[in-house]
Amino acid sequence: MTSVFSEAKTSIDENLNGKHISELLLMWRAFRRDPFALFSLVILMFFIFGAIFAPLLAPFPDQGLGLPNVLEKFNPPSLAHPFGTDYLGRDVLSRVLYGGRSSLAIGFLVVALAALVGIPLGAISGYYGGWIDNLMMRITDIFLAFPPLLLAIALAAALEPSFTNTMLAISFTWWPWYARLVRAQTLSLRERNYIEAAKSIGVPNWKIITSHILPNVMTPVMVQATMDLGGAILVGAAVSFIGLGVQPPTADWGQMVSIGRIYFIERPWYAGAAGISIFLVSLAFNLLGDAMRDAADPHTRRIVQ
């Protein structure tokens, strides 16, 4: 009898894994035929590559790290300084490359932490239901009652302004969306036949959640996370814009826009370079998220194919 249960469990796992892999392959085929998806990937790889290799790509790495050069302040764009210089004479291109490190890192870390908290809470809430579900959903409702940006600003103001505190403050407001999304998917999945079959052969609840529930909710989570990356970068830039985020001399796009706005009429290159970077990265993440959503939809995927 034990061997029969073991064979049945193995068969369920193999079928689910095979189905999951084929689904991902179909998504990739539809995704790579979308020109907007490829365009967004090129833009994102350009900025990510620039942020990672900023010490090698920046014309003036010391100035990118904050070293002033007051003898050349507010020089217009030239061959020596393609994006001009700022109010302390620092090369704006170097500052943009180094600023991408903090701005992109905030976006990725916020989404990663929010998903890390929200996914298991949503899966547990949706799978068990009852008072556990009611308790967790009321907690998420409390967080969702506040606008994320205002709550992030309030938390950042209560903490000491820094990169870490900004990231934690934004993450604190972001996890309920993932909990809600995963809970909704789990409520549907727990009634499926393969979940009932897994229960009938004695598979533990934690194993069902980790092996059968979570792998099948990751597609909508990935789509949501991709679209949230642009929003998280915008919120991080907004917090830095009002002086509660990354502090000088560390470069940050939101901080550069905040300082550059004072001189924008006569010297637009400082704020403009950082502002355009924020715009392009946010746009690229949103286009990428839209493409992933279309690729994940079987009806849209069939049209693209």
Side-chain angles (χ1 to χ4, degrees):
M1 183 67 69
T2 303
S3 61
V4 173
F5 285 165
S6 178
E7 291 175 2
K9 179 180 180 299
T10 302
S11 177
I12 292 172
D13 291 341
E14 290 177 350
N15 290 334
L16 290 175
N17 290 335
K19 181 180 179 181
H20 189 60
I21 292 173
S22 63
E23 183 74 10
L24 291 178
L25 289 175
L26 289 173
M27 283 180 59
W28 168 244
R29 290 172 184 171
F31 178 83
R32 68 183 182 182
R33 296 179 184 179
D34 188 338
F36 289 106
L38 298 179
F39 169 77
S40 63
L41 276 178
V42 171
I43 295 296
L44 291 175
M45 293 306 298
F46 175 80
F47 279 98
I48 293 172
F49 182 85
I52 293 174
F53 296 100
L56 300 176
L57 298 175
F60 302 90
D62 292 340
Q63 296 178 18
L65 291 170
L67 182 68
N69 183 23
V70 293
L71 296 179
E72 296 188 9
K73 66 178 183 178
F74 285 131
N75 283 347
S78 62
L79 291 177
H81 303 283
F83 290 177
T85 61
D86 66 6
Y87 68 108
L88 292 177
R90 299 172 296 194
D91 181 66
V92 174
L93 175 57
S94 300
R95 297 292 287 174
V96 168
L97 289 172
Y98 274 89
R101 289 185 151 192
S102 59
S103 297
L104 291 173
I106 285 178
F108 281 107
L109 289 174
V110 163
V111 172
L113 284 176
L116 190 64
V117 174
I119 290 174
L121 290 181
I124 292 171
S125 177
Y127 182 79
Y128 286 102
W131 68 268
I132 295 177
D133 183 35
N134 288 329
L135 176 63
M136 290 187 177
M137 288 304 101
R138 297 301 76 77
I139 293 174
T140 59
D141 288 341
I142 293 173
F143 282 90
L144 293 174
F146 298 93
L149 177 58
L150 293 181
L151 183 56
I153 291 174
L155 292 173
L159 302 171
E160 180 181 355
S162 67
F163 171 86
T164 302
N165 289 338
T166 299
M167 180 263 297
L168 292 176
I170 301 173
S171 302
F172 196 70
T173 68
W174 224 274
W175 68 266
W177 304 100
Y178 290 91
R180 281 284 191 182
L181 174 62
V182 173
R183 172 185 177 269
Q185 297 292 320
T186 304
L187 287 174
S188 173
L189 291 172
R190 72 178 185 179
E191 304 299 331
R192 302 290 177 87
N193 291 333
Y194 63 86
I195 299 296
E196 296 296 331
K199 290 180 180 179
S200 68
I201 61 176
V203 178
N205 289 328
W206 67 268
K207 183 68 173 178
I208 294 175
I209 292 175
T210 56
S211 299
H212 302 318
I213 298 292
L214 292 183
N216 286 284
V217 304
M218 292 313 295
T219 297
V221 168
M222 287 190 299
V223 173
Q224 184 65 39
T226 305
M227 301 187 73
D228 281 348
L229 283 168
I233 290 172
L234 282 173
V235 173
V239 175
S240 294
F241 182 87
I242 61 176
L244 297 175
V246 178
Q247 298 298 297
T250 304
D252 181 83
W253 291 342
Q255 173 201 114
M256 293 174 67
V257 173
S258 177
I259 298 174
R261 82 188 193 282
I262 304 172
Y263 315 99
F264 186 76
I265 300 299
E266 296 180 356
R267 304 172 181 91
W269 55 84
Y270 183 40
I276 291 173
S277 299
I278 295 172
F279 168 76
L280 288 176
V281 170
S282 300
L283 175 64
F285 274 124
N286 278 279
L287 290 176
L288 187 64
D290 286 338
M292 289 185 64
R293 181 188 59 197
D294 292 340
D297 187 345
H299 301 289
T300 307
R301 185 195 305 152
R302 194 175 298 117
I303 294 174
V304 173
Q305 291 175 334

